[in-house]
Amino acid sequence: MTTKKTLIGVAALAAASVALGGCAAGGVPGGSAGSTVLDPDAALDGEITVWSWDVGAVALERLAADFEKEHEGTKVTVVDVGYDNAYDKMSVGFQAGTGLPDVVTIETDAAPGYITQFPTGMLDLSPLLGEDEKDFDPFKWSAGSDADGALRIAPWDSGTVAMFYRTDIVEEAGVDIEAVRTWDDLIAAGKVIKQKTGHTLMSTDIAAGAGFQARLQQLGQGLFNEKGEITIDSPEAVRVLTMLTEMNEAGLIKNVTGWDGRVTSAKDGDSAITPEAVWWIGTLQGDAPEHSGTYGVLPLPVFDEGGARTSNNGGSGLAVPAQAKNPQLAAAFVDYVLADAGNQASMMKNEGLFPSYLPALQDDQFSEPVDYFGGQPVYEVFAELTAEIPPIVYTSDSAEATDIVANAVSAAMLNGGDPATVLADAAKQLATSTGRDIAK
């Protein structure tokens, strides 16, 4: 879900990986996905139970009532299992092959771990949603699919990233922020901002990776390639870490600690820009109302001409466990909620869940002016960028890779390590602990 808790999605995956660590290679089936092939024309009746949390549970419960009205004889019970308990419960349920409901919520960061560890633990949703693939955020579809292309976790909400900027700070510095096209342009602008106003360019938590993976995704690169080989030390990765290190050495980064540090820095007005996901809108409006009218949004700068102007941070999906008692009804409910423009648009309007379903982004609400941003229709920026998010590869070792990369980022940015060297060392460390090969 696009909430504060999305920021700890990787931590959740790490916790899940610990829970899954005792599984045999290839994972415990958690039910037999091969025994159930979903039928898009199946008659629907009976009951299902759905697990989610926070605003996601609120949205699903609201839509469940509409679904029941349209499908007489059905009952959908939505249970808010709480974020802190959700992954423990799911890990145990998948491993035991029992105890899970008909539908579960899984964050995008955690998806690859579950798909890989439990290859038959979730049903293939392609029979119902496959024809709609082109209408979904391509990154989210890829992240929810297995190596054979079966859709195990259907895209729900996206964490489309753009650049939030303080209009008053850039104006004081005399910088034309709209003329910025590349990261090199932005760094040059940041030096002017620092010199003329004293503000840093951006605030970030270096110990958590300083946005390294989001920048790397702009280059179409993740921490692994399609073969599952390690790419932590790729030329693209070295380029990103070199840039971040140079920014820090130039005094353009304010290092903060954790979520609270980021929010406090925004409230204090420390920095001129924040590259972040669409859900940062709600954070600013809720935690920094005093800055209303001083923010704007632009696409991210590119690394090279024609490159991606966006990335992803957060989001989630819905899956039907193979052990579901009523899989046909469960899959139909997932299809109803996620592959419908009106329903997805309603979840944005009522619960603030930014759609992964691209037709929903044509809704009028995404072109409406937002007072907090001086009347700029900021959601329109994210709506236009969502289809451009570069797909990248996740694996069951993504959580460990994320931790190792964060350490490498700290070694370079805080301790003066050479970016190429620390990333090469990180790749070797991951290869040793996981048995994966390093890409040549």
Side-chain angles (χ1 to χ4, degrees), residues 23-99:
C23 299
V28 176
S32 177
S35 64
T36 302
V37 177
L38 295 171
D39 179 4
D41 299 317
L44 304 179
D45 57 21
E47 303 179 3
I48 58 171
T49 300
V50 180
W51 281 2
S52 195
W53 57 82
D54 293 344
V55 294
V58 173
L60 294 177
E61 186 167 13
R62 176 175 58 79
L63 290 174
D66 296 335
F67 180 83
E68 291 171 354
K69 291 177 183 177
E70 294 187 21
H71 300 86
E72 187 176 350
T74 65
K75 173 66 176 176
V76 180
T77 300
V78 178
V79 178
D80 187 336
V81 293
Y83 184 86
D84 293 336
N85 297 320
Y87 286 100
D88 287 341
K89 288 178 177 291
M90 283 191 289
S91 296
V92 170
F94 277 118
Q95 186 171 3
T98 186

Side-chain angles (χ1 to χ4, degrees), residues 112-314:
Y114 283 99
I115 292 172
T116 305
Q117 292 288 341
F118 304 108
T120 60
M122 290 169 279
L123 297 182
D124 179 10
L125 298 171
S126 301
L128 276 76
L129 291 161
E131 293 184 359
D132 297 309
E133 178 178 355
K134 68 182 184 305
D135 290 328
F136 280 94
D137 171 349
F139 161 71
K140 292 297 295 292
W141 188 277
S142 174
S145 299
D146 65 18
D148 296 323
L151 181 67
R152 303 296 179 180
I153 302 173
W156 185 355
D157 62 309
S158 289
T160 312
V161 175
M163 182 176 74
F164 295 80
Y165 67 94
R166 284 286 298 268
T167 56
D168 52 344
I169 293 176
V170 299
E171 287 171 4
E172 180 184 350
V175 168
D176 182 3
I177 196 70
E178 294 187 11
V180 168
R181 291 290 180 267
T182 68
W183 279 98
D184 287 340
D185 292 342
L186 184 61
I187 291 170
K191 292 177 179 178
V192 174
I193 291 169
K194 176 75 172 180
Q195 179 184 8
K196 293 190 175 181
T197 72
H199 292 278
T200 48
L201 180 61
M202 67 180 185
S203 300
T204 188
D205 186 346
I206 294 176
F212 171 86
Q213 290 194 59
R215 303 293 76 77
L216 185 59
Q217 186 172 2
Q218 279 191 265
L219 291 170
Q221 178 77 63
L223 305 183
F224 303 90
N225 63 19
E226 293 181 353
K227 297 179 181 178
E229 297 171 331
I230 297 166
T231 54
I232 288 176
D233 60 343
S234 67
E236 294 86 355
V238 173
R239 182 180 184 184
V240 171
L241 186 52
T242 299
M243 180 188 76
L244 291 172
T245 301
E246 291 175 349
M247 290 173 67
N248 194 46
E249 291 174 346
L252 302 184
I253 290 178
K254 179 177 177 61
N255 187 21
V256 299
T257 302
W259 172 263
D260 290 340
R262 297 184 62 209
V263 172
T264 298
S265 189
K267 287 179 66 64
D268 291 345
D270 293 326
S271 300
I273 68 109
T274 304
E276 194 47 277
V278 59
W279 43 258
W280 188 247
I281 293 173
T283 299
L284 291 175
Q285 292 173 322
D287 292 316
E290 65 273 22
H291 293 310
S292 179
T294 67
Y295 268 98
V297 176
L298 289 168
L300 291 179
V302 298
F303 281 89
D304 300 301
E305 191 66 32
R309 305 175 302 160
T310 187
S311 186
N312 184 85
N313 184 17

